[in-house]
Amino acid sequence: MTTKVSHPLDGESMIGDITTERLIDFVYGESALLDEARWDDWLNLFAADGIYWMPLTPGQQDARLQTSLLHEDKLLLKIRIERLNGQRTFSQQPASRCHHLLQTPRVQAIDHGAGRYRLRTAFHYVETRRDEQTLYAGWFTHELAREGAHLFIKLKRVDLVNSDAAFGNLQLFM
């Protein structure tokens, strides 16, 4: 028996020709999965070697030799999702919620031959739990790769306007 592996954004990200509209829809769809707390579906948007990176300093270029707020591969993201879903994760009872407000993503690079694409998106992000609400603002950079009929995230970079500020716990994913 063959099991069909579905892509979290099937219907939205099935690829024929990659158009600017399809790339923009991917970024909107990715944020919608986070807002809906569909963590496993969101994780499945990442390529096997995908990275989620939140630099510590404005303009930071090196994630390995400089400290970052977050620099996580797919395994670490999976562990964070397991924690969010855990029954004994008391910091998530009740669960945190989030909302993304995005400007229209700007396509910065298209390389159809290599199947690589880059977009930059200004955002406001709100994370809330009980009576606390925290607002973050910044820019997402999505580096996407075409694999077969789908797009996957090779890198999601989150540059916060105030990345060098002192933060409390970041519970969810921006």
Side-chain angles (χ1 to χ4, degrees), residues 37 39 84 91-98 127-129 171-172:
W39 313 124
L84 285 173
S91 68
Q92 286 302 301
Q93 295 179 15
S96 297
R97 295 184 309 272
C98 67
E127 191 170 292
T128 183
R129 183 173 173 273
Q171 294 291 325
L172 305 178

Side-chain angles (χ1 to χ4, degrees), residues 5-10 12-14 25-34 38-51 74 77 81 142-147 150-156:
V5 177
S6 66
H7 188 275
L9 297 178
D10 270 348
E12 295 177 39
S13 67
M14 290 298 289
D25 286 348
F26 183 94
V27 172
Y28 284 137
E30 184 242 355
S31 287
L33 292 176
L34 291 171
R38 293 174 53 193
W39 313 124
D40 292 325
D41 288 338
W42 175 75
L43 181 63
N44 288 332
L45 292 179
F46 279 80
D49 60 348
I51 298 290
K74 197 166 180 177
L77 293 173
I81 288 169
H142 286 83
E143 292 185 12
L144 307 177
R146 180 180 181 159
E147 294 179 15
H150 300 288
L151 288 171
F152 290 93
I153 300 169
K154 296 291 273 185
L155 173 69
K156 180 174 181 181

Side-chain angles (χ1 to χ4, degrees), residues 18-24 26-27 53 61 104-112 114-122 139-146 151-159:
I18 304 260
T19 62
T20 298
E21 181 181 10
R22 285 190 185 269
L23 294 168
I24 291 169
F26 183 94
V27 172
W53 180 29
Q61 295 302 311
T104 303
R106 286 184 302 118
V107 177
Q108 292 185 314
I110 293 178
D111 184 342
H112 291 298
R116 300 296 292 249
Y117 311 90
R118 186 175 63 247
L119 296 93
R120 185 166 168 91
T121 309
W139 302 269
F140 296 133
T141 300
H142 286 83
E143 292 185 12
L144 307 177
R146 180 180 181 159
L151 288 171
F152 290 93
I153 300 169
K154 296 291 273 185
L155 173 69
K156 180 174 181 181
R157 177 179 171 141
V158 181
D159 286 285

